[in-house]
Amino acid sequence: MNREKENEKPEFDIDDRDFNVKAWYLKDTEESEGDALIEVKYKDKLIRQFLFPAYKIWNIAAHFSDIVDGELSKDDKGRGYAIAGSTGLEGLAT
């Protein structure tokens, strides 16, 4: 799948406890629309690279300390990512 960044400069570049996160909006294509590329590094080594809904990338920035907490915890790796990806409405009865 062809993925091209809208800009070479990331939308944000945040450091926390030897971790770094960067995010880029991706150009829309027939195969992909509304995506962003997220890269998480630890001590300059890429540990995660994933697509994320572009409209939610600022949740990654806002909850990066939660993500780092999870990466450092042997028991709770996904919690910070889950918080960043949450709509806040999960589990509500309708």
Side-chain angles (χ1 to χ4, degrees), residues 3 28 36 44-45 49 53 73-74 83 88:
R3 306 233 187 254
D28 289 338
D44 293 325
K45 180 182 177 192
Q49 183 179 58
S73 169
K74 291 184 171 51
I83 291 169

Side-chain angles (χ1 to χ4, degrees), residues 38-41 45-50 71 77 81:
I38 310 295
E39 289 185 350
V40 179
K41 293 183 178 183
K45 180 182 177 192
L46 184 66
I47 60 169
R48 295 191 191 272
Q49 183 179 58
F50 55 94
E71 289 288 351
K77 274 195 173 241
Y81 295 101

Side-chain angles (χ1 to χ4, degrees), residues 5 7-14 20-26 36-39 52 57-58 60-61:
K5 297 173 185 172
N7 297 301
E8 281 305 307
K9 182 180 176 192
E11 296 300 315
F12 55 81
D13 182 349
I14 302 169
N20 174 269
V21 65
K22 294 179 183 168
W24 295 266
Y25 291 120
L26 297 176
L37 176 67
I38 310 295
E39 289 185 350
F52 202 71
I57 67 167
W58 297 101
I60 297 284

